[in-house]
Amino acid sequence: QPMEGLTACLAVPLRVDEVQRVLRKLLRKAREVRRRRRSSRSLRAVTGDEGAGSLSQLRVSLPYEVTQAQRYRQPLGCVVIHGEQTLMSSKLPRCLSLIRDSDQAFRTAPGEVVVLLPEADETGVALVVGRIASVCDSFRFGVLVVNGDDAPPDLLEATRARVC
């Protein structure tokens, strides 16, 4: 019988296949806990009424997300959205309601928003851009998806260079 505080119990003598099964189960649980923690720290829940973080918050979050992508060999999507300042202000809350809780948005300039999409590959990023474009087709997007160690030294500038 498992004791309080234990998350797994193995019978003696140990069998290799049983140890492997239990370890896989524990690692799966640890990944799920990490995903839940990442979702719960969504900036939209703690920042201003428009739902985007600030440039200073981006300067903290960007290196962290790049490091996480490299460490866990997961993709990281970066989207730069450009638009007219008044249009951006009116449409931004609706646009941010279309992204996942684990994604983070930052207002970097009056007409610019940067969205970080952890664990989002090219297909996932294209889906998010399509959703946002459906809200406002006059926005211009710069998109970059990095995998593991292929992140450029300045991910934000590399993404901005792709705005069309």
Side-chain angles (χ1 to χ4, degrees), residues 141-155:
F141 299 91
V143 176
L144 184 61
V145 177
V146 296
N147 292 299
D149 294 330
D150 69 349
D154 190 342
L155 179 65

Side-chain angles (χ1 to χ4, degrees), residues 87-105:
L87 189 59
M88 184 71 76
S89 294
S90 65
K91 299 285 186 178
L92 187 59
R94 172 74 178 118
C95 291
L96 295 183
S97 71
L98 300 173
I99 63 177
R100 304 172 301 176
D101 286 339
S102 60
D103 301 335
Q104 301 173 39

Side-chain angles (χ1 to χ4, degrees), residues 31 34-35 38 65 68-69 72-77 100 102-103 116-122 124-125 145-147:
R31 276 193 298 270
R34 187 173 70 91
R35 282 190 185 113
R38 184 175 256 172
E65 293 299 341
Q68 292 296 96
Y72 296 106
R73 293 189 172 93
Q74 295 288 331
L76 172 64
R100 304 172 301 176
S102 60
D103 301 335
L116 297 179
L117 303 143
E119 300 178 20
D121 58 10
E122 289 84 2
V125 172
V145 177
V146 296
N147 292 299

Side-chain angles (χ1 to χ4, degrees), residues 59-143:
R59 288 184 179 137
V60 172
S61 294
L62 185 59
Y64 172 80
E65 293 299 341
V66 169
T67 301
Q68 292 296 96
Q70 290 170 341
R71 178 177 294 148
Y72 296 106
R73 293 189 172 93
Q74 295 288 331
L76 172 64
C78 183
V79 178
V80 175
I81 306 169
H82 279 276
E84 181 186 319
Q85 181 179 351
T86 55
L87 189 59
M88 184 71 76
S89 294
S90 65
K91 299 285 186 178
L92 187 59
R94 172 74 178 118
C95 291
L96 295 183
S97 71
L98 300 173
I99 63 177
R100 304 172 301 176
D101 286 339
S102 60
D103 301 335
Q104 301 173 39
F106 305 91
R107 188 76 177 256
T108 55
E112 180 181 84
V113 172
V114 175
V115 182
L116 297 179
L117 303 143
E119 300 178 20
D121 58 10
E122 289 84 2
T123 305
V125 172
L127 181 65
V128 169
V129 169
R131 287 178 182 166
I132 294 172
S134 71
V135 171
C136 187
D137 60 359
S138 66
F139 285 167
R140 294 174 301 133
F141 299 91
V143 176

